[in-house]
Amino acid sequence: MSTKPFRSRFTLICVIIATVLVLVPSALSIFGYTDLLRSGLKTVAKPFELGTSKLAEALDGFVSVFTEYDKLQQENQELREELSALEEQQEQNEILKEENAWLRDYLSLSAAHPEYLLTDATVIARQASNYATVLTLNRGTAHGVRRNMPVLTAEGVFGYVSEAGLDWCKVVSIIETASAVSAYTERGQASGVVEGDAALREDGMCLLKYVEADADIRVGDSVYTGGNGTVYPPGLLIGRITAIEADEYSRTLVAYIEPAIDFSDTAAIKRVMVITGYAGSGGGT
Protein backbone atom coordinates (compact mmCIF):
# COMPACT_ATOMS: atom_id res chain seq x y z
CA MET A 1 0.00 0.00 0.00
CA SER A 2 1.29 3.49 -0.86
CA THR A 3 2.14 5.86 2.00
CA LYS A 4 1.50 8.97 -0.12
CA PRO A 5 -2.07 9.57 1.16
CA PHE A 6 -0.84 9.53 4.76
CA ARG A 7 1.99 11.91 3.97
CA SER A 8 -0.42 14.25 2.18
CA ARG A 9 -2.87 14.24 5.08
CA PHE A 10 -0.08 14.92 7.59
CA THR A 11 1.19 17.77 5.45
CA LEU A 12 -2.31 19.20 5.15
CA ILE A 13 -2.87 19.03 8.91
CA CYS A 14 0.44 20.82 9.58
CA VAL A 15 -0.50 23.57 7.08
CA ILE A 16 -3.91 24.02 8.74
CA ILE A 17 -2.37 24.23 12.25
CA ALA A 18 0.23 26.71 11.06
CA THR A 19 -2.46 28.81 9.39
CA VAL A 20 -4.59 28.81 12.52
CA LEU A 21 -1.61 29.80 14.69
CA VAL A 22 -0.92 32.73 12.34
CA LEU A 23 -4.47 33.85 11.56
CA VAL A 24 -6.12 33.48 14.96
CA PRO A 25 -3.77 35.83 16.78
CA SER A 26 -3.97 38.29 13.88
CA ALA A 27 -7.77 38.17 13.87
CA LEU A 28 -7.98 38.60 17.63
CA SER A 29 -5.62 41.53 17.37
CA ILE A 30 -7.67 43.15 14.60
CA PHE A 31 -10.93 42.83 16.56
CA GLY A 32 -9.34 44.25 19.73
CA TYR A 33 -8.91 41.02 21.64
CA THR A 34 -5.20 41.49 22.23
CA ASP A 35 -5.57 41.19 26.01
CA LEU A 36 -7.51 37.97 25.59
CA LEU A 37 -4.69 36.67 23.43
CA ARG A 38 -2.10 37.62 25.96
CA SER A 39 -4.12 36.07 28.76
CA GLY A 40 -4.49 32.87 26.84
CA LEU A 41 -0.81 32.72 26.06
CA LYS A 42 0.03 33.35 29.69
CA THR A 43 -2.39 30.62 30.76
CA VAL A 44 -0.77 28.20 28.35
CA ALA A 45 2.74 29.25 29.40
CA LYS A 46 2.06 29.31 33.13
CA PRO A 47 2.71 25.60 33.78
CA PHE A 48 5.98 25.92 31.91
CA GLU A 49 6.94 29.01 33.92
CA LEU A 50 6.11 27.21 37.17
CA GLY A 51 8.13 24.18 36.11
CA THR A 52 11.05 26.38 35.13
CA SER A 53 10.86 28.22 38.47
CA LYS A 54 10.80 24.97 40.42
CA LEU A 55 13.70 23.65 38.38
CA ALA A 56 15.69 26.81 39.05
CA GLU A 57 14.94 26.55 42.77
CA ALA A 58 15.97 22.91 42.76
CA LEU A 59 19.20 23.75 40.98
CA ASP A 60 19.91 26.56 43.46
CA GLY A 61 19.26 24.18 46.35
CA PHE A 62 21.48 21.52 44.80
CA VAL A 63 24.32 24.01 44.32
CA SER A 64 23.76 25.35 47.84
CA VAL A 65 24.02 21.86 49.35
CA PHE A 66 27.31 21.19 47.62
CA THR A 67 28.63 24.64 48.54
CA GLU A 68 27.70 24.03 52.18
CA TYR A 69 29.24 20.56 52.03
CA ASP A 70 32.54 21.99 50.77
CA LYS A 71 32.42 24.62 53.50
CA LEU A 72 31.80 22.01 56.19
CA GLN A 73 34.60 19.86 54.78
CA GLN A 74 37.01 22.77 54.98
CA GLU A 75 35.92 23.61 58.53
CA ASN A 76 36.25 19.94 59.49
CA GLN A 77 39.78 19.83 58.09
CA GLU A 78 40.71 22.99 59.96
CA LEU A 79 39.32 21.55 63.21
CA ARG A 80 41.27 18.31 62.68
CA GLU A 81 44.46 20.30 62.16
CA GLU A 82 43.79 22.36 65.29
CA LEU A 83 43.09 19.19 67.30
CA SER A 84 46.27 17.57 66.01
CA ALA A 85 48.28 20.65 66.97
CA LEU A 86 46.71 20.66 70.46
CA GLU A 87 47.43 16.95 70.93
CA GLU A 88 51.03 17.47 69.83
CA GLN A 89 51.37 20.39 72.23
CA GLN A 90 49.87 18.30 75.03
CA GLU A 91 52.33 15.52 74.30
CA GLN A 92 55.22 17.99 74.36
CA ASN A 93 53.95 19.40 77.66
CA GLU A 94 53.83 15.89 79.17
CA ILE A 95 57.39 15.22 78.00
CA LEU A 96 58.58 18.50 79.48
CA LYS A 97 56.71 17.73 82.69
CA GLU A 98 58.42 14.34 82.97
CA GLU A 99 61.80 15.89 82.13
CA ASN A 100 61.35 18.55 84.81
CA ALA A 101 60.25 15.98 87.39
CA TRP A 102 63.24 13.80 86.55
CA LEU A 103 65.61 16.77 86.73
CA ARG A 104 64.25 17.70 90.15
CA ASP A 105 64.74 14.13 91.39
CA TYR A 106 68.25 14.00 89.95
CA LEU A 107 69.26 17.33 91.48
CA SER A 108 67.62 16.41 94.78
CA LEU A 109 69.55 13.13 95.01
CA SER A 110 72.76 14.85 93.95
CA ALA A 111 72.27 17.51 96.64
CA ALA A 112 71.49 14.90 99.30
CA HIS A 113 74.50 12.76 98.33
CA PRO A 114 77.23 14.97 96.87
CA GLU A 115 79.66 12.09 97.40
CA TYR A 116 77.95 10.08 94.63
CA LEU A 117 78.98 10.20 90.99
CA LEU A 118 75.66 9.70 89.21
CA THR A 119 74.98 8.69 85.61
CA ASP A 120 71.43 8.96 84.36
CA ALA A 121 70.05 6.13 82.22
CA THR A 122 66.86 5.37 80.30
CA VAL A 123 65.06 2.02 80.44
CA ILE A 124 65.03 0.51 76.93
CA ALA A 125 63.73 -3.00 77.72
CA ARG A 126 62.09 -4.98 80.51
CA GLN A 127 61.90 -8.60 81.46
CA ALA A 128 58.62 -10.04 80.13
CA SER A 129 56.80 -11.08 83.31
CA ASN A 130 54.18 -9.82 85.74
CA TYR A 131 56.92 -8.28 87.84
CA ALA A 132 59.57 -6.96 85.45
CA THR A 133 62.44 -6.76 87.91
CA VAL A 134 65.21 -7.04 85.32
CA LEU A 135 65.75 -3.92 83.22
CA THR A 136 67.98 -3.06 80.28
CA LEU A 137 69.41 0.47 80.25
CA ASN A 138 70.97 2.60 77.51
CA ARG A 139 74.27 3.01 79.37
CA GLY A 140 77.30 0.73 79.34
CA THR A 141 81.06 0.62 79.63
CA ALA A 142 81.39 3.56 77.25
CA HIS A 143 79.60 5.64 79.90
CA GLY A 144 81.60 4.33 82.84
CA VAL A 145 79.03 1.71 83.86
CA ARG A 146 80.40 -1.60 85.15
CA ARG A 147 79.09 -4.76 86.79
CA ASN A 148 77.99 -4.52 90.43
CA MET A 149 77.24 -0.82 90.32
CA PRO A 150 74.12 0.25 92.30
CA VAL A 151 71.04 1.56 90.48
CA LEU A 152 68.56 3.98 92.08
CA THR A 153 65.38 5.92 91.48
CA ALA A 154 64.25 8.97 93.42
CA GLU A 155 62.29 6.61 95.71
CA GLY A 156 65.17 4.33 96.67
CA VAL A 157 67.32 1.36 95.66
CA PHE A 158 66.29 -0.55 92.56
CA GLY A 159 69.16 -3.05 92.33
CA TYR A 160 72.57 -3.48 90.75
CA VAL A 161 74.16 -3.87 87.31
CA SER A 162 74.51 -7.59 86.52
CA GLU A 163 75.87 -7.25 82.95
CA ALA A 164 77.40 -4.39 80.98
CA GLY A 165 78.05 -3.98 77.27
CA LEU A 166 79.47 -1.06 75.36
CA ASP A 167 76.27 1.01 75.35
CA TRP A 168 73.86 -1.09 77.43
CA CYS A 169 73.58 -2.85 80.76
CA LYS A 170 71.19 -5.13 82.60
CA VAL A 171 69.96 -4.40 86.10
CA VAL A 172 68.71 -6.96 88.65
CA SER A 173 66.38 -5.74 91.38
CA ILE A 174 66.72 -6.23 95.12
CA ILE A 175 63.72 -8.60 95.20
CA GLU A 176 65.42 -11.17 92.93
CA THR A 177 66.71 -14.27 94.73
CA ALA A 178 70.24 -13.51 93.52
CA SER A 179 70.25 -10.23 95.44
CA ALA A 180 71.73 -9.77 98.94
CA VAL A 181 72.33 -6.38 100.56
CA SER A 182 73.78 -5.59 103.99
CA ALA A 183 71.27 -3.36 105.76
CA TYR A 184 70.29 -1.63 108.99
CA THR A 185 67.18 -0.07 110.50
CA GLU A 186 67.32 3.69 111.00
CA ARG A 187 65.51 3.88 114.36
CA GLY A 188 66.99 0.97 116.30
CA GLN A 189 70.21 0.56 114.29
CA ALA A 190 69.58 -3.18 114.01
CA SER A 191 71.64 -4.84 111.29
CA GLY A 192 70.98 -7.73 108.94
CA VAL A 193 70.91 -8.74 105.26
CA VAL A 194 68.12 -7.95 102.80
CA GLU A 195 67.59 -10.85 100.41
CA GLY A 196 65.20 -11.66 97.62
CA ASP A 197 62.78 -14.51 98.21
CA ALA A 198 61.16 -16.64 95.51
CA ALA A 199 57.86 -16.87 97.38
CA LEU A 200 57.69 -13.12 98.00
CA ARG A 201 58.91 -11.95 94.61
CA GLU A 202 55.45 -12.07 93.04
CA ASP A 203 54.24 -9.73 95.80
CA GLY A 204 57.13 -7.34 95.19
CA MET A 205 58.54 -8.02 98.68
CA CYS A 206 61.87 -9.13 100.18
CA LEU A 207 63.26 -10.17 103.58
CA LEU A 208 65.56 -8.68 106.20
CA LYS A 209 67.31 -11.72 107.69
CA TYR A 210 69.88 -12.55 110.39
CA VAL A 211 68.67 -9.86 112.78
CA GLU A 212 69.62 -10.57 116.39
CA ALA A 213 66.74 -11.91 118.47
CA ASP A 214 66.92 -9.04 120.98
CA ALA A 215 67.28 -6.31 118.34
CA ASP A 216 65.01 -3.27 118.60
CA ILE A 217 62.96 -3.47 115.38
CA ARG A 218 59.35 -2.59 114.78
CA VAL A 219 56.79 -2.63 112.00
CA GLY A 220 57.15 0.62 110.08
CA ASP A 221 60.92 0.95 110.63
CA SER A 222 62.83 2.19 107.57
CA VAL A 223 65.62 -0.01 106.25
CA TYR A 224 68.78 1.34 104.56
CA THR A 225 71.84 -0.14 102.89
CA GLY A 226 74.62 -0.85 105.36
CA GLY A 227 77.56 -0.35 103.01
CA ASN A 228 79.41 -3.46 104.21
CA GLY A 229 79.50 -5.13 100.81
CA THR A 230 81.19 -4.24 97.54
CA VAL A 231 78.11 -2.97 95.70
CA TYR A 232 76.06 -0.47 97.69
CA PRO A 233 77.25 2.58 99.62
CA PRO A 234 75.64 3.13 103.05
CA GLY A 235 72.47 5.10 103.63
CA LEU A 236 70.37 4.24 100.56
CA LEU A 237 66.68 3.64 101.32
CA ILE A 238 65.56 0.05 100.67
CA GLY A 239 62.06 0.06 102.18
CA ARG A 240 60.15 -0.44 105.42
CA ILE A 241 59.28 -3.33 107.70
CA THR A 242 55.71 -4.66 107.39
CA ALA A 243 55.94 -7.79 109.60
CA ILE A 244 58.39 -9.55 111.94
CA GLU A 245 58.74 -13.19 112.91
CA ALA A 246 61.28 -15.36 114.73
CA ASP A 247 63.43 -17.94 112.93
CA GLU A 248 63.38 -20.99 115.22
CA TYR A 249 66.43 -22.59 113.65
CA SER A 250 68.84 -19.67 113.67
CA ARG A 251 67.27 -17.97 116.70
CA THR A 252 67.20 -14.68 114.85
CA LEU A 253 64.49 -12.37 113.63
CA VAL A 254 63.19 -12.15 110.07
CA ALA A 255 61.43 -9.00 108.87
CA TYR A 256 59.29 -8.64 105.77
CA ILE A 257 60.28 -5.62 103.71
CA GLU A 258 58.08 -3.57 101.41
CA PRO A 259 60.57 -1.87 99.06
CA ALA A 260 60.43 1.88 98.55
CA ILE A 261 60.02 1.17 94.84
CA ASP A 262 56.73 -0.36 93.74
CA PHE A 263 57.96 -3.44 91.86
CA SER A 264 54.41 -4.28 90.82
CA ASP A 265 54.46 -1.24 88.53
CA THR A 266 57.95 -1.04 87.05
CA ALA A 267 56.40 0.07 83.75
CA ALA A 268 56.18 3.50 85.39
CA ILE A 269 59.97 3.57 85.74
CA LYS A 270 61.33 5.30 82.65
CA ARG A 271 64.69 6.51 83.91
CA VAL A 272 67.10 5.57 86.70
CA MET A 273 70.47 6.64 88.09
CA VAL A 274 73.60 4.52 88.25
CA ILE A 275 76.15 5.30 90.94
CA THR A 276 79.39 5.00 88.99
CA GLY A 277 81.52 6.10 91.93
CA TYR A 278 81.34 7.41 95.48
CA ALA A 279 83.64 8.54 98.27
CA GLY A 280 85.30 5.58 99.93
CA SER A 281 84.64 3.22 97.04
CA GLY A 282 88.27 3.14 95.98
CA GLY A 283 87.39 4.39 92.50
CA GLY A 284 84.72 1.73 91.90
CA THR A 285 81.89 -0.05 93.59
Side-chain angles (χ1 to χ4, degrees):
M1 181 183 290
S2 175
T3 59
K4 278 188 176 185
F6 293 103
R7 290 181 183 175
S8 300
R9 289 177 186 175
F10 179 74
T11 303
L12 179 60
I13 292 170
C14 289
V15 170
I16 292 171
I17 292 173
T19 303
V20 171
L21 290 175
V22 171
L23 294 178
V24 169
S26 299
L28 290 174
S29 178
I30 291 171
F31 290 103
Y33 294 106
T34 306
D35 293 338
L36 180 62
L37 175 62
R38 289 176 181 172
S39 177
L41 291 174
K42 285 183 179 180
T43 301
V44 172
K46 189 160 187 170
F48 297 100
E49 290 179 356
L50 182 61
T52 304
S53 175
K54 293 296 182 182
L55 178 60
E57 289 178 4
L59 289 173
D60 287 341
F62 188 71
V63 172
S64 176
V65 167
F66 272 88
T67 302
E68 189 66 21
Y69 177 76
D70 290 340
K71 183 180 178 182
L72 289 173
Q73 263 197 327
Q74 183 178 355
E75 290 178 357
N76 195 296
Q77 179 62 30
E78 291 173 356
L79 288 173
R80 281 199 297 266
E81 291 174 357
E82 289 179 10
L83 180 60
S84 178
L86 287 173
E87 289 176 346
E88 184 177 349
Q89 184 62 49
Q90 180 67 21
E91 186 176 344
Q92 290 298 323
N93 290 340
E94 289 297 323
I95 292 174
L96 289 175
K97 185 178 178 180
E98 290 180 4
E99 290 286 344
N100 289 336
W102 168 253
L103 184 59
R104 283 195 299 270
D105 292 341
Y106 185 89
L107 294 176
S108 176
L109 190 59
S110 295
H113 298 280
E115 71 277 16
Y116 296 163
L117 179 60
L118 299 173
T119 298
D120 70 304
T122 300
V123 178
I124 58 175
R126 307 171 194 275
Q127 175 180 291
S129 66
N130 291 336
Y131 288 83
T133 57
V134 177
L135 306 179
T136 301
L137 311 180
N138 67 339
R139 294 288 185 265
T141 55
H143 309 93
V145 175
R146 302 285 187 276
R147 288 182 67 251
N148 293 331
M149 285 184 169
V151 177
L152 318 173
T153 71
E155 287 72 33
V157 176
F158 184 93
Y160 66 95
V161 176
S162 60
E163 297 179 57
L166 183 64
D167 59 356
W168 61 272
C169 68
K170 285 191 175 182
V171 179
V172 172
S173 78
I174 58 172
I175 67 171
E176 293 291 336
T177 55
S179 176
V181 187
S182 67
Y184 69 93
T185 59
E186 182 180 35
R187 186 190 57 81
Q189 295 296 303
S191 60
V193 177
V194 172
E195 294 182 354
D197 183 87
L200 296 176
R201 179 182 177 277
E202 292 303 312
D203 295 323
M205 303 279 287
C206 51
L207 295 174
L208 173 63
K209 303 171 70 174
Y210 314 116
V211 180
E212 293 183 2
D214 59 352
D216 180 14
I217 61 172
R218 299 176 188 171
V219 170
D221 281 350
S222 296
V223 180
Y224 292 83
T225 55
N228 296 328
T230 60
V231 176
Y232 299 96
L236 300 176
L237 179 62
I238 295 175
R240 68 181 185 87
I241 295 175
T242 60
I244 303 168
E245 63 183 31
D247 186 332
E248 298 178 358
Y249 299 100
S250 63
R251 295 184 179 180
T252 58
L253 299 177
V254 176
Y256 291 78
I257 306 297
E258 180 183 74
I261 294 175
D262 183 4
F263 286 102
S264 68
D265 188 26
T266 55
I269 300 175
K270 302 292 194 307
R271 303 174 73 173
V272 296
M273 289 166 273
V274 182
I275 300 179
T276 53
Y278 57 91
S281 66
T285 51

